[in-house]
Amino acid sequence: MNRFLAAGLIALVLSASVSFTASAQDTKAAQDSGFWFDVAASAGGMIMRNPDISKASFGMNRTSYGIDAVFGYRFNNYVALGAGAQFVGEINRDDVALPLIVRVRYDILDKMVSPFVAADLGYTVYPYKERPRPQFAREGLIGSASVGVAIKSDGNHRAYLGLVASAVQVTNKETNNWFRKFRPEFRIKLGYEF
């Protein structure tokens, strides 16, 4: 009989301990989830073929800068999903783009310093309907993948540095017919999320 009483007490203590631990984890998960805002600045270049078709040289001859803002929801310390907009301007060109994007982000570790991966998918509409479209203007689909390192401060605030590889649709004109072509673009991004 004493064995059954001892076993019952041990089972009661263990179940209370498991219940307390699960409750603490639920509270932590609740603190780590919620609305999420990501703002970042970036700079980089697009690899373009020289517009003179007879010269098949490649190079980062389209240097650009960008600012993006994404609002969404962080489901836990690892996964966030949101939608937002970017502003992309090009140095030495009177050309800007305003793509609308959807972003998913995954932080690999639940530590103060964590690597992360992110992906964006969006669409750019040429913003200047009243003037002629320049050669190689950004218009159409955009997709990108990012890798980087985030430093977590109090709460869900994170500062991060990342490398971004994108495929950007640009317009091209050949014998008076407009068509779109994908071009690779690489950027360095510095951001903050809260």
Side-chain angles (χ1 to χ4, degrees):
M1 181 108 159
N2 288 338
R3 285 184 183 166
F4 291 117
L5 184 57
L9 285 174
I10 289 173
L12 184 62
V13 169
L14 285 176
S15 68
S17 172
V18 168
S19 173
F20 177 75
T21 303
S23 173
Q25 287 176 347
D26 289 345
T27 302
K28 183 177 181 338
Q31 290 172 347
D32 294 337
S33 64
F35 290 111
W36 167 70
F37 189 68
D38 181 357
V39 61
S42 62
M46 188 181 301
I47 298 176
M48 298 290 294
R49 196 166 105 161
N50 191 319
D52 182 357
I53 302 298
S54 65
K55 298 175 184 173
S57 63
F58 288 82
M60 294 268 201
N61 56 2
R62 294 281 298 273
T63 307
S64 61
Y65 57 92
I67 298 171
D68 59 76
V70 174
F71 181 74
Y73 192 79
R74 181 168 278 284
F75 296 95
N76 52 39
N77 246 352
Y78 301 101
V79 179
L81 177 67
Q86 295 177 333
F87 170 86
V88 181
E90 298 205 9
I91 297 171
N92 298 327
R93 280 178 59 109
D94 185 21
D95 192 16
V96 298
L98 304 167
L100 300 177
I101 59 168
V102 173
R103 177 172 297 156
V104 62
R105 178 180 160 118
Y106 181 76
D107 289 279
I108 296 170
L109 302 172
D110 186 12
K111 304 281 184 194
M112 185 175 138
V113 177
S114 172
F116 71 88
V117 293
D120 291 354
L121 182 62
Y123 193 82
T124 303
V125 177
Y126 184 67
Y128 303 114
K129 297 301 179 192
E130 69 278 356
R131 69 179 189 190
R133 184 184 286 130
Q135 180 80 330
F136 301 117
R138 295 167 185 264
E139 184 176 11
L141 292 173
I142 178 171
S144 66
S146 308
V147 295
V149 175
I151 300 172
K152 186 176 180 181
S153 63
D154 58 339
N156 266 339
H157 296 231
R158 291 171 174 83
Y160 65 90
L161 179 66
L163 298 173
V164 183
S166 302
V168 179
Q169 252 184 343
V170 296
T171 57
N172 199 352
K173 189 174 184 181
E174 206 172 82
T175 62
N176 293 328
N177 292 321
W178 285 98
F179 64 94
R180 294 180 182 155
K181 224 178 215 183
F182 280 102
R183 293 289 183 216
E185 181 175 46
F186 299 94
R187 296 174 163 276
I188 295 174
K189 183 184 276 192
L190 180 62
Y192 188 75
E193 57 181 52
F194 49 94

